[in-house]
Every structure is written in C-alpha cells, then in structure tokens.
Amino acid sequence: MQSDPLELLDKDMDTDIDMDVDQARSRVLALLDAGTIDLEALPAPLGHPLSDAQYRMWLADAAGGPSTVFNFPSVMALRGMLGVDALRRDFQTVLRRHHVLTASFVDLDGEPRQVFSPHITLRLPLVDLSGLPAAARDVQLRRLIDADGRYIFDLAHGPLLRLTLVRTASAQAHLLMNVHHIISDGWSSTIMTRELIELMQAGIEQRRAILPEVPVQYSDYVYWQQATLAEGGADTLLAYWRSRLAGCTTLRLPLDRARTPRRRVQGETVIRPLCASTLQRLHEVRQERRHTMFSLLLAAFKVLLSHYHGGEDICVGTSVAHRPLPELESLIGLFVNQVVLRSKVSPHLSFDALVRQVAETTVEALAHRDIPFERVVAEFPQLRDAGSSPLFQVLFLHNNQPRQAMQGAGPLSVTSIALDNKVARFDLTLMMSESEDGIRAEWTFRNDIFDRATIEIMAARYEHMLSRLLDDCERAVGEIGLHTDEENTTRRVEMDERVESRARKFVAGRRRGVSLGDIAMVDERPMQPEAGYPLLMTPAREGVDLAEWAGSDPGGIEARLHRHGSILFRGFEVTSAERFERFASTICPTLNGEYGDLPKEAQGERIYKSTPYPEDKTILFHNEGSHTHCWPMKQFFSCQIVAPVGGETPIVDCRGMFQRLPKPLARRFAERGLLYVRNFVEGLDVSWQDFFRTDDRKALGRSLDALGIQYEWTGTNNLRTRQAGPAVACHPRTGDWVFFNQLQLHHVGYLATEERAALLELFDEQDLPRNVYYGDGQPIEEDVIAEIGALYASMSISFPWQSGDVLMVDNMLVAHGRHPFSGPRKVIVAMGEMLAASDLPRAPYPFD
C-alpha cells in the first residue's frame, strides 16, 4: 500500500497454544523465510514477549507504581442503541478477534511476559441516569467520565479494557471505554470503533457482520519485529539516528517553574481554533505551493520554538503509526512509535524554504522509523533525565481524521466525543486537529512547570506568527517577531507610561533648582572623534543633578546610547554608591539585583563590586552575560577610586567588529554559534556553590535543566557545564548586527603562553576551567583565534578613569574589558533591562 509518508503522520497518533515460546519463534522465522507472516495464533503457556514500547510502559508501571499516565479513555454517544447483552456480545467478538485486548502482564523469573485469555468474560455495567433532570444528569455523567479516566489498571490482571454504559434517555446512551495504552494506540481505537459499529449495525439489520480477516495477532508482530531487528536492521537504523541526533540539546522553553527530578504528568489543555482568515490562507498556500498541512503547521511551530529556544537547532517529536506490513493495517495493538524531527531554523531562510526543509527531514525520519524509539533513547544516556522526556520535550501531532460518526440504514448512530484526560506525557504537546468546522490547536501542557497563562500567550503567538508567515512565504522567518500586535501595543503603552512617570518626577524636582532648561546645560562630544565613541557628556554649569537631568529626557539618552554605543558622564560628582544607583535606576528602573557570582556593594541595593579577578591580570573583551540564557542590555560603571597605575576599562564597538570580520568567518559564526564549556574545580577559580548560590546538587540540576544547560559531575565535587550561545546577533532595537559573545574571555588560546602550558599540563582539554568551541562542539581554529584577538586590539579604545566618572554602555553594541592595575581601585557596577535569548530578532544575515 503506497501512501504519502507525511500523511501517515495524521493517523495515530494468539489462540490457545501447545507450543513453547522457542517453537513459536522458530515458526515465525520459518514463515518469514517463506515470505509470509500469515500465521495461525500460536499457543504459549509461558506467555509471549513484549514489544519495546510495551516493555517501556511495563517498566514505568513497575518502577513508579500503577497510575493513570497510560490510560486511553474515550466516550461514544449512542442513539438507537442495542441492548446491554447485545453490546456485550459485540465486544466479546472484538476481543476474540484481537487477543491483545485480553492481555495481562506477568513477571516470570524477572522477565515480563504477556498472556492472553481470549475467552475471558467482559463486564459491561449499566448506569441509568435517564430519570434525572437534564442538569443533574449532565453533572453525573461528567463525574462518571472523570472517574473512569482516573481508573488505575493492574497490568498483572486483565482485561486492561474497562467499559461502562450510561443510559441518558430511552434510546440514548454513552459508552465509556478506558483502555491501557500498553495494548492499544490511536489507530487501534479507530479500528475498535469501526468493528464495534459494524457489529452493532449488523445486529440491527440481522445480517452477518462484514469484518476484515485477522490473519495475525499482535504477538506475531512482536516476534517478527524482534527477528527483523536481530537480523541486522537495527544496526543500520541506529547508526542513522546516532548521526542525526548527535549534539541534540534540551529545548529551552518559557518555564514558569523548574522541572523536578520526579516527572509529573498532570496536565491541562488550552484550545484555540484558527481564525477564518488564517485557515483560508493556510489552504491557499497548501494548494499553491504543494505543501502538506503537516509541514506547514510544523514549520510555523518550529519558528515559534526557535524564538523561545534562542537558537536554530530545534528538535520536536511526533508519533507515527508503525504498521510496516499490510497484515497489520486492521490489527489492534501498540504500534505507535515516536521519531525526532530535527530542523535548523535559520533566520535568513524564507518560510517556503523552511517548510520544504521540514518536509524533507520528516520524510527522512519516517524512512528510519522502524527502530523502536526506546532503542534510540538508549543510544543517548547523557540526555536521559528523570525530570524530562529524553531527546525531545515537545510533541507535535496533526490529526486530520474526523471524529468517528455513523448513521446506518437503521436507527443507529455513533459519535465519538472529545475528552481531556488531564495527562501531559511531555512538557508540551501541540495537536492540530482538523474537522469540518476548521482547525483547532490543542495545547496540552504539564501544569507543574507551566502556568495556563503562559500557554495561552504561546498559543496566541503561534497563530499570529502562522498568519504572518503565510502572508509572505518568501519573507525570511527571522523578520517575524515573537509578540502579537496586542502585546506590542501594550508594551508601547507601558513604555509611554514610564516616560511620563519620569517626566512627572523631574517636574517635581524643579523646586530644588532644576528646570527643563537644564537639558541644554550639558555639553556633549565624542571623546575620540575618529571612533565616534564613547560620547562624553559633561555639565555646562555647576549644580546639575545627573539623575534628575537624565530623568527629564530618557528617550534622548537612549537615542544617544544607540548611536554611540557608550556614554561617559564626567564631572557630575557621582562619588557614592547611593548617587550612582539613583542615576542608574533613573535610566533603567529594572536594575538587576541577583546577578551571578558578583559580590554586592554594601552601600547599594542593586550595585556590585568589580569582578574579583587578580589585579595583575587583564580581563579580556566580553559582552556581559552573552554566554548565558539572558543578559543585561544596559551596564553602568562608576569609578569611586582611581587606581594609581592602570585599571582602565577598555571598550570595543561590536558593530565595527562584525563589519570587519571576513564574511566567510562571520557566516561560520552566525550559523554555528558557540558552545561554552566550564569546569568548576575545587580550589581553582570560583566554586559551583558560590557561582550558582546553592550547595544543593539536585536543586542545581533542576535549574540547569530548566535553562537548557547540559551538565555532569566529573569528580567528587567538580561540575562541568556546556551552554550554547550566539557568536553574532542582531540588536533588537537598532537592527545592527554585532559580534556578541565571550569568546576572548573563555577561549584557552587567549591565555598567556606559560599559563596555557601549565593548565594543559594539569588538565586534559575537556577538563580546563574554561573553554569555548563552535556550537557543534568542534574546536575553533588557531588562526581564527589570532584574527579575532588582533581585531579586538586594533579597535580597542581606552581612557583614564577620573573619580566620579560613570560609563554607560549598551552591552550588545559595546564589549568591555579591564587593564591590570596596582594600588587601590574601586569601580562599582550596575546592570539592568535583562533580555532573553529568545527575544532576539531573527533578521536575515547581512552577508546573504
């Protein structure tokens, strides 16, 4: 049977025996050799083996105890229904056809086996609510449905199928059916419903039911799958996935709370139908460009996720119906498999190109889906964590199958009713469901790590982004912002309110001798005209209060900062931490008071001392926090005590750095990014306890997971972290491309020769306290390191500090360092206006 591989994604989502298991297996293999799997059910008194997917569920049940995690509840509304006895008889027929529905799972000498009881008698209790008033009847029905979904199955005692018939009127009823996922999947539910409807219809019409033959049982499939993989197929498939998923990292999501070591699966669902205009445009683009709906919807979803992730490497999972043989098409069982769909969401790609890339990678993944997902996971033990699902944290599904409905020749009709069973097996699942009414997005999320409001915002942003991407499929995806029009309006209003508030404060200060005319009482000129920065601003008369003057024209200061990248305020007598903090908070009300391992200044609430770095060592150029998930956009330095010798704070224009990079190197940095590796070794540099401000390993692990930072414990008390970061970025306000990173500060190649030699004698390269690589983990070439160093040196601007100086920099437009010094020196620091990596615009690269 030939099908479009992408369309297959829309679908899911042993008689009594005399032989032993070995004999049964041998017979399967013999029939395989003969080119057929047309088997009679094979008796196995010791039970049958489990498929990989079944084994994973059995193991989870054994380790964590019985739960509702793998329940598969459903409800069918029946009109003109048969009697209870007839309905029970129809179910018994389905059970006799599909033995897996009668399975129980037993532990035999430490190995789980599934044992079938095809002659088991199925219970079908009847609850009659037909005599209740409509309101009370609906309440009771809802309670019964909820209770049925919470039922806990005992895998050792079948059947793992629970039925309840609820009569709501004389010729109306609801059939509540709950199946454990270990014996069924989404496609199987459709098969069961279809067979049941045919049996009921045949009973009404007093004819023989027309049902497809069931030549094999699920246990036969398990033998066949194991034999196929044992014959070498697994090696080839695993080799593909090892290569395809190498370097895969945890997706950064806007978590409201950190993941806990014991993963919870309580969930909620936010449902948001696509608006009519977006739906119409979606169908138009699909027809015009011959894309599948799956690829269009997934590509837009990946653009959204790339904003939150702050990177281009996006891994999303999906469920596929793995029924590789025609004989399995009409068989009930657990056939669903999961595959990882990895894409590079480069901001310069057009949406049309991204959709085609997503389609190609999806088809390729489907071509390698025959290996059970559990075996792929086993190849990446470093990515396994109890607090999160391995390899991917977000699942994407597309369901274009209408809800089961039937109107027979007689009075019978059956309609499937949608349920929310309040289970979230992944951090986030987006199900795009098509029906005659349109398409609706169903966002199921773990409510222990997300607030409902966060997902509602995400859902609104997805539809906004999808609509804008569809409007111009040739437009670069990086040009589409994360925020909706409503959000942008709100942000503008809030900014206007802050400006007005500052102006009111300034007017209130006029009685202290300050007037609006003081705005013109400040002189300004570039300190180094040939470079254009920093802008030097000095009072044109005595008595100008820097904080009050700045509060009168914050927009003007912001414009100057964006133009010059840095401003040096000199002569305003900012000679205390209190005055400095007052000025900095006037410009930036959101000063950060909890930043890394920097020591706090005692006289200020949100002021820090200088980095505790040896006085005789140079601090190389870096953009503050650029190697982390968020960083300050504004940074302030205040010189309280001038060092007798040295101690300057050199700066470099990052726009100029980017412009002077050779284009091939700029492209390499843009596409590959950087990977910062840090080893916190006892007695060397800062300890992990001081840096992360905790001595609780488990709490630290949860925090690192939430931030998408890979980590491992490499010694008794040594920690290694790996964190991806940009090498170049687009400034979110000016639109300028900048060389934005901490490459020079972290790379071992910038150490003095003797220091580097000493460290490499003590440590293997992977154990060095700090180092940085290309984003894919490959080393950065020595000539590149030398070229970057020479470029920084040639563009460096330095000036001697004066007491009371305040240097304000845009942290993305200007990098800073520190020269060695001797004698007393005190420069205090403030930072604010934190920006997350996910807020960076996805602008097209200027060298394309």
Side-chain angles (χ1 to χ4, degrees):
M1 182 180 67
Q2 298 298 318
S3 301
D4 181 346
L6 292 176
E7 297 300 336
L8 292 176
L9 291 167
D10 300 328
K11 291 189 177 178
D12 179 56
M13 338 181 286
D14 304 312
T15 52
D16 296 333
I17 329 190
D18 298 323
M19 300 184 198
D20 63 21
V21 175
D22 289 338
Q23 289 175 312
R25 182 183 179 88
S26 297
R27 179 171 178 180
V28 172
L29 294 176
L31 289 169
L32 279 171
D33 291 338
T36 177
I37 63 164
D38 187 9
L39 307 179
E40 300 173 3
L42 304 176
L46 298 180
H48 296 273
L50 279 59
S51 67
D52 287 59
Q54 284 182 315
Y55 181 78
R56 175 177 60 85
M57 292 186 189
W58 178 87
L59 197 62
D61 184 86
S67 71
T68 62
V69 174
F70 297 111
N71 281 11
F72 221 115
S74 62
V75 176
M76 289 187 288
L78 311 178
R79 288 179 177 272
M81 58 162 289
L82 299 173
V84 175
D85 291 339
L87 189 57
R88 184 187 295 112
R89 185 171 60 250
D90 292 338
F91 265 109
Q92 290 288 161
T93 300
V94 176
L95 262 64
R96 285 196 300 272
R97 289 169 50 81
H98 304 278
H99 297 170
V100 72
L101 295 176
T102 72
S104 56
F105 295 79
V106 297
D107 189 335
L108 295 178
D109 298 326
E111 286 294 325
R113 313 291 287 183
Q114 53 184 325
V115 178
F116 307 124
S117 304
H119 300 300
I120 192 171
T121 300
L122 197 62
R123 296 184 63 250
L124 180 60
L126 173 66
V127 179
D128 193 347
L129 303 179
S130 59
L132 296 178
R137 181 185 63 225
D138 292 343
V139 170
Q140 290 299 323
L141 177 61
R142 183 72 258 173
R143 288 177 177 174
L144 288 169
I145 292 173
D146 290 343
D148 186 64
R150 294 193 303 270
Y151 180 79
I152 295 178
F153 289 101
D154 181 356
L155 297 188
H157 298 88
L160 304 179
L161 167 65
R162 172 182 166 88
L163 303 172
T164 303
L165 189 63
V166 182
R167 180 172 292 153
T168 54
S170 59
Q172 299 179 23
H174 284 72
L175 177 63
L176 281 52
M177 183 164 56
N178 195 353
V179 185
H180 197 286
H181 202 0
I182 201 169
I183 62 171
S184 184
D185 57 21
W187 191 329
S188 297
S189 295
T190 301
I191 293 172
M192 187 184 304
T193 301
R194 188 169 59 235
E195 291 194 2
L196 185 63
I197 291 173
E198 170 59 19
L199 287 164
M200 289 190 294
Q201 188 69 36
I204 292 174
E205 297 173 358
Q206 297 184 351
R207 60 173 174 80
R208 184 183 181 87
I210 304 173
L211 298 173
E213 292 186 10
V214 184
V216 297
Q217 292 294 326
Y218 183 75
S219 56
D220 301 325
Y221 159 75
V222 175
Y223 285 121
W224 173 85
Q225 183 190 52
Q226 292 182 350
T228 301
L229 295 174
E231 290 173 352
D235 294 338
T236 301
L237 293 169
L238 287 176
Y240 165 80
W241 287 110
R242 279 194 297 267
S243 173
R244 185 74 182 104
L245 301 181
C248 183
T249 60
T250 300
L251 193 66
R252 289 186 287 271
L253 297 169
L255 304 182
D256 294 297
R257 288 165 294 279
R259 300 179 181 92
T260 58
R262 183 178 176 83
R263 181 156 56 107
R264 296 177 58 196
V265 294
Q266 285 77 16
E268 300 177 39
T269 299
V270 168
I271 298 176
R272 187 181 175 98
L274 295 185
C275 68
S277 59
T278 300
L279 187 62
Q280 179 180 350
R281 185 60 185 149
L282 191 59
H283 286 295
E284 290 172 352
V285 170
R286 179 187 183 185
Q287 292 176 358
E288 292 168 2
R289 298 178 179 262
R290 301 180 65 82
H291 293 313
T292 65
M293 191 68 76
F294 179 91
S295 298
L296 283 166
L297 296 170
L298 175 58
F301 187 40
K302 290 201 169 190
V303 175
L304 176 75
L305 292 175
S306 70
H307 277 275
Y308 288 113
H309 180 62
E312 300 178 7
D313 186 12
I314 305 298
C315 290
V316 171
T318 195
S319 295
V320 295
H322 181 248
R323 295 171 182 255
L325 299 167
E327 292 88 341
L328 305 177
E329 294 283 341
S330 58
L331 187 61
I332 291 175
L334 178 56
F335 295 95
V336 66
N337 197 22
Q338 291 162 352
V339 295
V340 184
L341 305 178
R342 188 177 190 180
S343 300
K344 185 177 183 180
V345 186
S346 299
H348 65 280
L349 276 180
S350 70
F351 182 56
D352 185 72
L354 178 62
V355 175
R356 296 188 187 283
Q357 181 209 118
V358 166
E360 290 171 3
T361 56
T362 301
V363 170
E364 185 181 89
L366 291 178
H368 295 85
R369 63 179 173 163
D370 288 348
I371 188 75
F373 182 67
E374 292 71 25
R375 301 199 189 189
V376 178
V377 170
E379 296 294 315
F380 298 89
Q382 73 277 15
L383 297 179
R384 303 198 69 166
D385 179 71
S388 180
S389 55
L391 296 185
F392 65 87
Q393 296 73 50
V394 174
L395 187 74
F396 178 83
L397 301 172
H398 175 220
N399 179 20
N400 64 359
Q401 302 297 308
R403 301 195 184 285
Q404 287 292 323
M406 172 183 169
Q407 181 67 51
L412 175 66
S413 71
V414 181
T415 304
S416 177
I417 297 177
L419 289 183
D420 176 12
N421 65 349
K422 299 180 180 179
V423 171
R425 299 187 179 96
F426 301 92
D427 290 358
L428 179 67
T429 297
L430 173 57
M431 163 78 88
M432 302 300 293
S433 296
E434 290 191 56
S435 68
E436 294 180 356
D437 299 326
I439 298 179
R440 67 178 193 171
E442 302 173 15
W443 302 76
T444 300
F445 60 96
R446 285 173 52 186
N447 57 18
D448 63 323
I449 59 175
F450 287 112
D451 290 334
R452 188 176 187 88
T454 299
I455 304 303
E456 288 174 342
I457 291 172
M458 186 181 289
R461 288 175 174 175
Y462 174 69
E463 183 171 352
H464 162 79
M465 188 168 289
L466 175 63
S467 175
R468 295 192 65 188
L469 289 167
L470 293 170
D471 283 343
D472 185 358
C473 293
E474 296 302 327
R475 185 180 183 184
V477 297
E479 297 180 18
I480 307 300
L482 175 65
H483 302 98
T484 65
D485 294 338
E486 293 79 6
E487 286 182 286
N488 288 327
T489 299
T490 300
R491 294 168 82 189
R492 284 193 294 270
V493 170
E494 290 175 349
M495 178 62 73
D496 291 343
E497 290 176 348
R498 284 199 296 269
V499 172
E500 290 176 7
S501 175
R502 291 175 184 173
R504 287 193 297 270
K505 290 180 181 178
F506 175 77
V507 172
R510 292 180 61 184
R511 66 188 63 184
R512 295 192 294 274
V514 181
S515 69
L516 290 173
D518 288 323
I519 296 174
M521 299 305 292
V522 173
D523 294 327
E524 59 180 86
R525 61 180 175 83
M527 176 173 271
Q528 298 194 15
E530 68 280 3
Y533 70 99
L535 179 67
L536 177 63
M537 304 193 78
T538 57
R541 70 170 194 179
E542 293 184 0
V544 177
D545 183 282
L546 181 59
E548 289 184 345
W549 174 82
S552 69
D553 189 22
I557 293 177
E558 184 90 354
R560 291 172 173 85
L561 183 66
H562 287 163
R563 185 163 58 251
H564 299 278
S566 55
I567 303 175
L568 178 62
F569 299 94
R570 174 166 284 176
F572 291 92
E573 298 183 358
V574 183
T575 54
S576 69
E578 291 86 352
R579 289 184 180 182
F580 173 55
E581 184 168 6
R582 179 166 164 259
F583 163 67
S585 60
T586 298
I587 296 293
C588 183
T590 56
L591 290 182
N592 192 303
E594 296 293 334
Y595 188 83
D597 61 335
L598 285 182
K600 282 287 191 66
E601 167 63 26
Q603 281 72 41
E605 293 182 5
R606 295 169 293 175
I607 302 300
Y608 300 89
K609 299 178 182 178
S610 296
T611 302
Y613 201 75
E615 299 175 4
D616 61 339
K617 302 296 183 185
T618 299
I619 298 179
L620 298 175
F621 287 109
H622 61 284
N623 302 91
E624 194 69 42
S626 55
H627 64 307
T628 66
H629 67 289
C630 65
W631 52 82
M633 286 294 288
K634 289 186 174 67
Q635 192 164 16
F636 305 82
F637 304 86
S638 175
C639 182
Q640 303 290 297
I641 299 175
V642 179
V645 178
E648 299 89 353
T649 300
I651 55 178
V652 162
D653 177 14
C654 296
R655 286 175 286 204
M657 284 287 295
F658 179 83
Q659 291 164 6
R660 292 178 62 177
L661 281 175
K663 291 297 186 284
L665 181 56
R667 176 184 289 278
R668 192 186 316 162
F669 276 130
E671 293 180 346
R672 298 172 72 175
L674 297 175
L675 179 68
Y676 296 90
V677 179
R678 187 161 184 177
N679 285 282
F680 296 88
V681 181
E682 283 191 291
L684 185 67
D685 204 356
V686 64
S687 69
W688 63 265
Q689 293 93 333
D690 290 338
F691 186 83
F692 294 107
R693 298 186 178 185
T694 181
D695 57 4
D696 186 334
R697 287 193 180 196
K698 292 184 178 179
L700 174 59
R702 292 193 294 269
S703 298
L704 295 177
D705 286 336
L707 296 174
I709 301 175
Q710 297 181 42
Y711 69 95
E712 59 182 314
W713 298 98
T714 58
T716 304
N717 199 32
N718 298 339
L719 172 67
R720 178 183 298 143
T721 62
R722 295 184 182 87
Q723 183 164 11
V728 300
C730 182
H731 194 285
R733 295 180 178 86
T734 70
D736 294 307
W737 279 89
V738 294
F739 190 63
F740 177 69
N741 53 69
Q742 292 203 5
L743 174 62
Q744 196 176 45
L745 189 63
H746 279 74
H747 197 281
V748 67
Y750 291 112
L751 293 175
T753 303
E754 58 276 9
E755 291 180 358
R756 182 168 64 251
L759 280 173
L760 291 173
E761 186 175 341
L762 290 172
F763 302 102
D764 292 335
E765 182 180 327
Q766 65 176 357
D767 297 322
L768 289 171
R770 298 185 187 189
N771 208 353
V772 61
Y773 303 84
Y774 286 120
D776 56 9
Q778 295 300 310
I780 302 173
E781 301 84 351
E782 291 184 8
D783 61 331
V784 170
I785 296 301
E787 186 170 8
I788 297 299
L791 197 53
Y792 270 126
S794 68
M795 298 189 63
S796 172
I797 287 179
S798 186
F799 58 89
W801 281 114
Q802 293 184 14
S803 180
D805 278 355
V806 174
L807 176 66
M808 174 185 178
V809 303
D810 182 300
N811 184 42
M812 290 191 70
L813 298 178
V814 166
H816 69 277
R818 191 209 68 190
H819 289 324
F821 66 94
S822 61
R825 175 186 186 270
K826 184 176 183 180
V827 174
I828 54 180
V829 182
M831 292 165 285
E833 200 172 299
M834 303 301 288
L835 184 80
S838 59
D839 289 330
L840 286 178
R842 300 295 188 270
Y845 296 139
F847 39 75
D848 287 341

